[in-house]
Amino acid sequence: LHRHYDDMRAVRRFEEGTKHPDPEFPALWQILDETCPRRNGKADRDQIPPILEGPLLRSVIAETQYPAGLFSAVMRRIHTDREVNYVRACVIAGHLRRNLKQEVSMSLDTERKDPAYRLGRLFAVLEMVQQRAIEGINATIRDRFYSSASATPGTVFPRLLRTYQHHLAKLEGGAKVYFEKLAQEILAPVKEFPSHLGLVEQGQFALGYYHQAKDLWTSKADKQKEKGE
């Protein structure tokens, strides 16, 4: 069980003390809930793929690979809901670590050079700039472009970057300089936008997005706290 939680570890988006803190150790039912649609805010557990429950439990007890269907089911939900929450990030991290033997940091890894992870980070930055430029925006680029950006970045990112320049121009002072430098730093190792990302790379994209978004929102909260807001 300790090995399982170690393999699925990820930084929590909502820490203790917030209104709805993420569980430090997600239960198996919470993991399975992320494989099915939601109705009225609750998981429709009748839609959980029946082939996942037993194999997931066995993988935890026997320290074997997680069922491949778990990762693909969570990725489908991410593309449908356009949301990368904490438990979904845990599943992705667990698949990469245990099944694919990849090194995955618990939180933002600024040294990781994988294009997919970098583009996920960049997408989070572009979304934040849009939110800062257009206060009270109802639908962000995540609602419209997440699925296509993570699957066919070569087609989508040039368009997103053009829009980003318009949003960036609306920011002032330190914020504008900060986001401009951050985007440049993220893009530095990326030679070109891949025309297509496979499912594993889309998982890396989702993890990069989650890590960068968490880092950006934490920084914003810290600044508000310092100002007494």
Side-chain angles (χ1 to χ4, degrees), residues 3-4 10 12 78 85 99 124 134 168 170 202 207:
R3 170 70 181 276
H4 160 67
R12 287 186 285 177
I78 289 175
N85 60 28
N99 291 26
I134 309 174
L168 188 66
K170 296 182 179 181
Q202 290 174 36
L207 208 55

Side-chain angles (χ1 to χ4, degrees), residues 28-132:
L28 296 188
W29 64 265
Q30 291 173 311
I31 292 173
L32 290 170
D33 277 356
E34 297 303 334
T35 68
C36 63
R38 294 185 178 275
R39 292 184 179 179
N40 300 321
K42 294 183 178 180
D44 184 2
R45 292 176 178 161
D46 291 334
Q47 300 298 317
I48 294 176
I51 61 171
L52 291 182
E53 298 178 11
L56 175 58
L57 179 59
R58 283 194 294 272
S59 71
V60 173
I61 295 174
E63 293 188 46
T64 56
Q65 288 193 348
Y66 296 117
L70 176 65
F71 173 71
S72 57
V74 166
M75 292 303 298
R76 283 195 297 271
R77 294 316 316 162
I78 289 175
H79 281 289
T80 301
D81 304 338
R82 297 175 295 280
E83 178 185 4
V84 188
N85 60 28
Y86 166 69
V87 177
R88 291 175 180 180
C90 288
V91 171
I92 294 170
H95 181 80
L96 296 179
R97 289 190 186 107
R98 180 176 293 198
N99 291 26
L100 302 182
K101 308 303 180 184
Q102 293 186 10
E103 291 188 10
V104 178
S105 66
M106 182 174 175
S107 56
L108 180 63
D109 184 357
T110 59
E111 300 301 317
R112 185 162 183 162
K113 299 296 193 296
D114 302 15
Y117 185 82
R118 288 265 165 174
L119 293 179
R121 290 182 58 197
L122 179 62
F123 193 84
V125 171
L126 301 187
E127 182 184 31
M128 176 62 80
V129 170
Q130 182 189 37
Q131 291 175 317
R132 294 283 294 270

Side-chain angles (χ1 to χ4, degrees), residues 145-162:
F145 297 107
Y146 179 89
S147 295
S148 55
S150 64
T152 56
T155 302
V156 179
F157 269 94
R159 176 181 177 182
L160 292 178
L161 287 173
R162 288 194 296 270

Side-chain angles (χ1 to χ4, degrees), residues 13-34:
R13 181 72 182 269
F14 301 107
E15 305 283 352
E16 297 295 338
T18 57
K19 187 175 182 180
H20 299 290
D22 291 317
E24 184 176 1
F25 303 109
L28 296 188
W29 64 265
Q30 291 173 311
I31 292 173
L32 290 170
D33 277 356
E34 297 303 334

